Amino acid sequence: MKIPVFVSCPKSYLERQENFLLQVEEFLTLRDFLPMTLGRTEYSIDAPLEAIRRLMAGSYGLLCLAFRRTLITDGCDRPKSDLGEKESDRGGTWLSSPYCQIEPAMAYQIGLPVLIWREAGVVPEGLLDRGAVGLSMPEFNLEMPIDLTQQQWSQPLQDWIDRVRNAHRQTGKAPQLW
């Protein structure tokens, strides 16, 4: 029986994003996981947060792929601050989907193992900041081939897989009163 896991990611708009997503799904499937994504493998007519909650309730872990989605060509963080905050240039940076913040937060709140991968250039803030939910992972660059069996990828991925399998094993156990 395959273990259901929630894969959170924006809809691919580049072929290399789609190829990487397929690579990740195949990697998980070959290890007896069932990757599920709302709007890709699972569909609902309910409000998005309700559908996400339902899908997450049947999952044992969440893997987020924070793909580039919105390019900020000209922007400024904390413009004209009068409280001494340093202004910083945001030009040439990327944002991902807001769901790459929402879905991992929801998973974290219900205790699911969470692993977040951020595409190079995506602003590392909130849950997309390295290690915000415990497991950290190098950002990925889709301009270069990615081998998920290399140590930099396989070590954190295996840690997450072990946590997901443990969560799945614990589900069937009766509560202990002693």
Side-chain angles (χ1 to χ4, degrees):
M1 181 169 116
K2 293 196 181 282
I3 300 171
V5 291
F6 192 111
V7 177
S8 171
C9 64
K11 183 172 174 27
S12 305
Y13 77 94
L14 296 171
E15 189 174 324
R16 61 182 178 260
Q17 290 176 335
E18 182 65 18
N19 290 340
F20 182 61
L21 177 55
L22 291 170
Q23 178 186 357
V24 168
E25 288 174 336
E26 180 181 15
F27 184 91
L28 293 172
T29 301
L30 290 173
R31 284 153 185 82
D32 291 326
F33 290 100
L34 176 63
M36 301 183 303
T37 302
L38 191 62
R40 182 177 176 89
T41 63
E42 311 297 316
Y43 300 91
S44 176
I45 60 169
D46 295 326
L49 291 180
E50 189 174 322
I52 291 165
R53 183 175 45 222
R54 186 176 302 110
L55 187 57
M56 214 168 279
S59 299
Y60 294 92
L62 178 135
L63 173 62
C64 176
L65 303 175
F67 289 137
R68 293 175 174 184
R69 183 160 169 170
T70 302
L71 175 62
I72 301 172
T73 55
D74 184 29
C76 182
D77 204 12
R78 297 179 296 274
K80 300 178 185 170
S81 171
D82 58 1
L83 294 176
E85 292 291 320
K86 187 172 179 166
E87 194 173 290
S88 61
D89 180 30
R90 286 287 181 146
T93 58
W94 290 85
L95 300 177
S96 192
S97 165
Y99 286 97
C100 289
Q101 299 274 355
I102 295 167
E103 291 166 344
M106 290 174 72
Y108 185 81
Q109 287 302 313
I110 62 172
L112 293 180
V114 175
L115 181 59
I116 300 173
W117 295 354
R118 179 174 38 85
E119 188 172 358
V122 172
V123 176
E125 62 185 6
L127 289 182
L128 302 183
D129 197 2
R130 188 176 183 95
V133 292
L135 286 175
S136 62
M137 184 57 125
E139 64 181 17
F140 58 93
N141 182 349
L142 294 178
E143 301 294 325
M144 301 165 26
I146 297 169
D147 179 359
L148 296 177
T149 62
Q150 288 179 342
Q151 174 102 13
Q152 68 173 349
W153 297 97
S154 65
Q155 180 89 40
L157 186 53
Q158 190 58 52
D159 288 349
W160 177 78
I161 286 171
D162 292 344
R163 292 175 190 196
V164 171
R165 286 197 170 122
N166 187 52
H168 183 255
R169 271 192 301 278
Q170 296 300 321
T171 303
K173 291 187 177 183
Q176 293 184 324
L177 301 176
W178 61 95

